[in-house]
Amino acid sequence: MKITIEWTYKTKNGIETTFRSEEMPPAHALTIGEDLEKTGRVKKIQFIDQHDSTWMAKELKKYIKEIETEPHNVKVYFDGGYDIQTSHAGLGIAIYYEQNGKQYRLRRNAPASGLNSNNEAEYAALHLAIVELDLLDVHHQTVQFIGDSQVVINQMSGEWPAYEKELAGWADRIDEKLNNLGITPEFQLVPRKSNSEADRLATQSMQGIEITGQIELQ
Protein backbone atom coordinates (compact mmCIF):
# COMPACT_ATOMS: atom_id res chain seq x y z
CA MET A 1 0.00 0.00 0.00
CA LYS A 2 1.10 3.53 -0.76
CA ILE A 3 -0.15 6.61 1.10
CA THR A 4 -0.60 10.22 0.00
CA ILE A 5 -0.72 12.95 2.65
CA GLU A 6 -3.12 15.85 2.18
CA TRP A 7 -3.05 18.73 4.64
CA THR A 8 -4.34 22.26 5.08
CA TYR A 9 -1.73 24.80 6.12
CA LYS A 10 -2.65 28.03 7.93
CA THR A 11 -0.29 31.01 8.18
CA LYS A 12 -0.04 33.33 11.20
CA ASN A 13 -2.29 35.88 9.51
CA GLY A 14 -4.96 33.25 8.73
CA ILE A 15 -4.28 32.47 5.08
CA GLU A 16 -4.97 28.80 4.28
CA THR A 17 -3.93 26.52 1.44
CA THR A 18 -3.96 22.76 0.84
CA PHE A 19 -0.92 20.62 -0.02
CA ARG A 20 -0.74 17.06 -1.32
CA SER A 21 2.35 14.86 -1.16
CA GLU A 22 3.63 12.19 -3.50
CA GLU A 23 2.87 8.54 -2.73
CA MET A 24 5.04 6.88 -0.09
CA PRO A 25 5.11 3.84 2.23
CA PRO A 26 2.68 4.08 5.20
CA ALA A 27 5.46 4.34 7.82
CA HIS A 28 7.04 7.27 5.99
CA ALA A 29 3.67 8.99 5.66
CA LEU A 30 2.95 8.61 9.35
CA THR A 31 6.35 10.01 10.34
CA ILE A 32 5.96 13.03 8.06
CA GLY A 33 2.38 13.58 9.18
CA GLU A 34 3.40 13.60 12.84
CA ASP A 35 6.21 16.04 12.04
CA LEU A 36 3.81 18.34 10.20
CA GLU A 37 1.47 18.41 13.17
CA LYS A 38 4.33 19.54 15.42
CA THR A 39 4.57 22.81 13.46
CA GLY A 40 1.20 23.88 14.88
CA ARG A 41 0.24 25.29 11.48
CA VAL A 42 -1.63 22.27 10.13
CA LYS A 43 -5.39 22.64 10.38
CA LYS A 44 -6.34 19.32 8.83
CA ILE A 45 -4.31 16.27 7.78
CA GLN A 46 -5.49 13.19 5.88
CA PHE A 47 -3.81 9.95 4.89
CA ILE A 48 -5.20 8.64 1.59
CA ASP A 49 -4.44 5.23 0.07
CA GLN A 50 -4.39 4.22 -3.61
CA HIS A 51 -8.10 3.42 -3.54
CA ASP A 52 -8.93 6.94 -2.27
CA SER A 53 -9.83 5.63 1.18
CA THR A 54 -8.96 7.97 4.05
CA TRP A 55 -7.09 6.70 7.11
CA MET A 56 -6.77 8.22 10.56
CA ALA A 57 -3.31 8.28 12.13
CA LYS A 58 -4.25 5.63 14.72
CA GLU A 59 -5.59 3.35 11.96
CA LEU A 60 -2.36 3.73 10.03
CA LYS A 61 -0.32 2.92 13.16
CA LYS A 62 -2.34 -0.26 13.65
CA TYR A 63 -1.85 -1.27 10.02
CA ILE A 64 1.92 -0.69 10.21
CA LYS A 65 2.15 -2.79 13.36
CA GLU A 66 0.21 -5.63 11.75
CA ILE A 67 2.33 -5.82 8.59
CA GLU A 68 5.65 -5.76 10.45
CA THR A 69 5.43 -9.54 10.88
CA GLU A 70 4.55 -10.07 7.21
CA PRO A 71 6.72 -9.55 4.12
CA HIS A 72 6.24 -5.96 2.91
CA ASN A 73 7.90 -3.25 0.78
CA VAL A 74 8.32 -5.99 -1.82
CA LYS A 75 10.34 -5.52 -5.03
CA VAL A 76 10.49 -8.25 -7.65
CA TYR A 77 13.08 -8.48 -10.43
CA PHE A 78 12.33 -11.03 -13.16
CA ASP A 79 13.83 -12.18 -16.44
CA GLY A 80 13.40 -15.01 -18.92
CA GLY A 81 15.73 -16.40 -21.57
CA TYR A 82 14.99 -18.57 -24.61
CA ASP A 83 17.34 -20.47 -26.92
CA ILE A 84 15.72 -20.68 -30.35
CA GLN A 85 18.11 -23.45 -31.42
CA THR A 86 17.25 -25.84 -28.59
CA SER A 87 13.85 -24.44 -27.51
CA HIS A 88 15.19 -24.42 -23.94
CA ALA A 89 14.06 -21.63 -21.64
CA GLY A 90 15.34 -20.37 -18.30
CA LEU A 91 13.59 -18.22 -15.72
CA GLY A 92 15.19 -16.03 -13.06
CA ILE A 93 13.71 -14.01 -10.21
CA ALA A 94 15.04 -11.98 -7.28
CA ILE A 95 12.63 -10.81 -4.58
CA TYR A 96 13.59 -8.16 -2.02
CA TYR A 97 11.38 -7.53 1.00
CA GLU A 98 11.25 -6.45 4.65
CA GLN A 99 9.92 -8.44 7.57
CA ASN A 100 10.17 -7.95 11.35
CA GLY A 101 12.45 -4.97 10.86
CA LYS A 102 14.93 -6.90 8.69
CA GLN A 103 15.64 -6.98 4.95
CA TYR A 104 15.72 -10.18 2.91
CA ARG A 105 16.48 -11.37 -0.61
CA LEU A 106 15.08 -14.49 -2.21
CA ARG A 107 16.63 -15.77 -5.45
CA ARG A 108 15.38 -18.59 -7.62
CA ASN A 109 15.74 -19.87 -11.15
CA ALA A 110 14.06 -22.68 -13.03
CA PRO A 111 14.05 -24.29 -16.48
CA ALA A 112 10.85 -24.13 -18.51
CA SER A 113 9.55 -26.30 -21.34
CA GLY A 114 6.79 -25.85 -23.89
CA LEU A 115 7.60 -22.21 -24.59
CA ASN A 116 8.03 -20.82 -28.09
CA SER A 117 9.63 -17.41 -27.69
CA ASN A 118 11.65 -15.14 -25.46
CA ASN A 119 8.50 -13.14 -24.70
CA GLU A 120 6.81 -16.26 -23.36
CA ALA A 121 9.87 -16.94 -21.20
CA GLU A 122 9.62 -13.41 -19.77
CA TYR A 123 5.96 -13.97 -18.94
CA ALA A 124 6.76 -17.36 -17.39
CA ALA A 125 9.40 -15.70 -15.18
CA LEU A 126 6.87 -13.13 -13.99
CA HIS A 127 4.40 -15.93 -13.23
CA LEU A 128 7.09 -17.83 -11.30
CA ALA A 129 7.72 -14.71 -9.21
CA ILE A 130 4.04 -14.43 -8.29
CA VAL A 131 3.96 -18.10 -7.28
CA GLU A 132 6.89 -17.35 -4.95
CA LEU A 133 5.04 -14.34 -3.53
CA ASP A 134 2.14 -16.64 -2.73
CA LEU A 135 4.50 -19.01 -0.91
CA LEU A 136 5.90 -16.03 1.03
CA ASP A 137 2.34 -15.11 2.00
CA VAL A 138 2.52 -11.72 0.29
CA HIS A 139 -1.02 -10.43 -0.11
CA HIS A 140 -3.19 -7.30 -0.07
CA GLN A 141 -0.40 -4.85 -0.75
CA THR A 142 1.38 -3.01 -3.55
CA VAL A 143 4.30 -4.86 -5.14
CA GLN A 144 6.85 -3.49 -7.61
CA PHE A 145 7.62 -5.75 -10.57
CA ILE A 146 10.80 -4.75 -12.37
CA GLY A 147 11.95 -6.17 -15.70
CA ASP A 148 13.65 -5.33 -18.97
CA SER A 149 11.02 -6.77 -21.31
CA GLN A 150 9.15 -3.95 -23.04
CA VAL A 151 6.50 -6.41 -24.20
CA VAL A 152 5.67 -7.81 -20.76
CA ILE A 153 5.93 -4.53 -18.83
CA ASN A 154 3.91 -2.53 -21.35
CA GLN A 155 1.28 -5.22 -21.85
CA MET A 156 0.80 -5.88 -18.13
CA SER A 157 0.58 -2.15 -17.36
CA GLY A 158 -2.01 -1.72 -20.12
CA GLU A 159 0.16 0.44 -22.36
CA TRP A 160 0.20 -2.15 -25.16
CA PRO A 161 -2.49 -4.65 -26.19
CA ALA A 162 -1.65 -8.38 -26.14
CA TYR A 163 -2.66 -9.62 -29.58
CA GLU A 164 -0.79 -12.94 -29.52
CA LYS A 165 -2.91 -15.72 -28.05
CA GLU A 166 -0.07 -17.24 -25.99
CA LEU A 167 0.96 -13.92 -24.45
CA ALA A 168 -2.64 -12.91 -23.76
CA GLY A 169 -3.11 -16.23 -21.97
CA TRP A 170 -0.10 -15.59 -19.74
CA ALA A 171 -1.33 -12.07 -18.99
CA ASP A 172 -4.78 -13.36 -18.02
CA ARG A 173 -3.33 -16.02 -15.70
CA ILE A 174 -1.06 -13.47 -14.04
CA ASP A 175 -3.88 -10.95 -13.57
CA GLU A 176 -6.06 -13.64 -12.01
CA LYS A 177 -3.29 -14.70 -9.64
CA LEU A 178 -2.62 -11.09 -8.62
CA ASN A 179 -6.31 -10.49 -7.98
CA ASN A 180 -6.59 -13.64 -5.88
CA LEU A 181 -3.67 -12.49 -3.74
CA GLY A 182 -5.00 -8.94 -3.47
CA ILE A 183 -1.74 -7.60 -4.93
CA THR A 184 -1.73 -4.22 -6.65
CA PRO A 185 1.12 -4.38 -9.17
CA GLU A 186 3.41 -1.53 -10.19
CA PHE A 187 5.36 -2.42 -13.33
CA GLN A 188 8.69 -0.73 -14.02
CA LEU A 189 10.73 -1.07 -17.20
CA VAL A 190 14.51 -0.89 -16.72
CA PRO A 191 17.55 -1.35 -18.99
CA ARG A 192 19.00 -4.88 -19.10
CA LYS A 193 22.04 -3.78 -17.09
CA SER A 194 19.72 -2.77 -14.25
CA ASN A 195 18.19 -6.25 -14.29
CA SER A 196 21.47 -8.17 -14.35
CA GLU A 197 20.73 -10.32 -11.29
CA ALA A 198 17.56 -11.85 -12.72
CA ASP A 199 19.18 -12.09 -16.17
CA ARG A 200 22.12 -14.03 -14.73
CA LEU A 201 19.79 -16.40 -12.89
CA ALA A 202 17.85 -17.12 -16.08
CA THR A 203 21.08 -17.76 -18.00
CA GLN A 204 22.39 -20.08 -15.29
CA SER A 205 19.17 -22.07 -15.44
CA MET A 206 19.64 -22.59 -19.18
CA GLN A 207 23.16 -23.84 -18.37
CA GLY A 208 21.76 -26.41 -15.98
CA ILE A 209 22.75 -24.52 -12.82
CA GLU A 210 19.95 -24.54 -10.26
CA ILE A 211 19.84 -21.73 -7.70
CA THR A 212 17.39 -21.37 -4.82
CA GLY A 213 18.25 -19.35 -1.77
CA GLN A 214 17.10 -16.80 0.75
CA ILE A 215 19.33 -14.59 2.87
CA GLU A 216 19.06 -11.73 5.33
CA LEU A 217 20.68 -8.58 3.99
CA GLN A 218 22.99 -6.59 6.25
Side-chain angles (χ1 to χ4, degrees):
M1 181 171 70
K2 294 289 184 68
I3 293 291
T4 299
I5 310 172
E6 188 173 280
W7 69 98
T8 300
Y9 181 83
K10 185 176 181 180
T11 66
K12 290 182 178 180
N13 57 3
I15 299 174
E16 295 183 4
T17 189
T18 299
F19 294 94
R20 190 178 178 95
S21 75
E22 60 184 15
E23 290 184 337
M24 64 188 76
H28 293 179
L30 186 61
T31 299
I32 293 173
E34 290 175 341
D35 197 59
L36 284 170
E37 288 184 331
K38 290 178 183 177
T39 65
R41 300 278 183 84
V42 176
K43 183 178 179 181
K44 181 181 179 182
I45 185 166
Q46 296 186 89
F47 301 97
I48 305 168
D49 66 21
Q50 293 161 299
H51 304 289
D52 288 328
S53 296
T54 302
W55 296 61
M56 296 177 64
K58 63 179 182 180
E59 293 173 330
L60 208 54
K61 286 180 181 178
K62 182 180 178 181
Y63 171 80
I64 292 169
K65 186 175 181 180
E66 288 175 347
I67 68 169
E68 274 300 309
T69 59
E70 303 174 359
H72 56 280
N73 291 341
V74 183
K75 288 187 178 182
V76 176
Y77 293 82
F78 70 94
D79 199 16
Y82 179 77
D83 187 337
I84 194 172
Q85 301 298 326
T86 63
S87 296
H88 291 164
L91 320 177
I93 62 170
I95 302 175
Y96 291 80
Y97 64 95
E98 297 177 23
Q99 188 173 15
N100 294 319
K102 299 178 181 179
Q103 296 183 329
Y104 296 91
R105 182 194 67 192
L106 182 152
R107 295 194 304 163
R108 187 185 169 195
N109 66 4
S113 59
L115 306 182
N116 299 304
S117 68
N118 191 74
N119 286 333
E120 273 198 272
E122 295 277 7
Y123 264 111
L126 176 56
H127 187 270
L128 174 65
I130 297 169
V131 170
E132 288 295 328
L133 292 180
D134 192 4
L135 295 174
L136 281 172
D137 202 24
V138 175
H139 56 83
H140 297 95
Q141 60 179 285
T142 300
V143 174
Q144 285 186 281
F145 293 95
I146 303 165
D148 56 53
S149 169
Q150 289 191 36
V151 171
V152 173
I153 296 296
N154 287 327
Q155 287 182 350
M156 290 304 302
S157 61
E159 296 293 325
W160 294 359
Y163 292 121
E164 297 181 45
K165 182 179 179 180
E166 293 80 4
L167 302 188
W170 278 108
D172 288 342
R173 287 195 294 276
I174 289 168
D175 278 335
E176 182 179 7
K177 186 71 172 175
L178 290 171
N179 288 334
N180 290 340
L181 293 176
I183 291 176
T184 300
E186 290 184 348
F187 294 101
Q188 181 180 352
L189 180 64
V190 296
R192 179 170 293 274
K193 64 180 181 180
S194 299
N195 198 33
S196 59
E197 186 174 26
D199 176 66
R200 184 168 59 254
L201 287 165
T203 300
Q204 288 171 323
S205 177
M206 295 174 67
Q207 296 169 343
I209 302 171
E210 181 180 347
I211 296 176
T212 301
Q214 183 175 339
I215 64 170
E216 179 185 340
L217 301 176
Q218 301 301 321

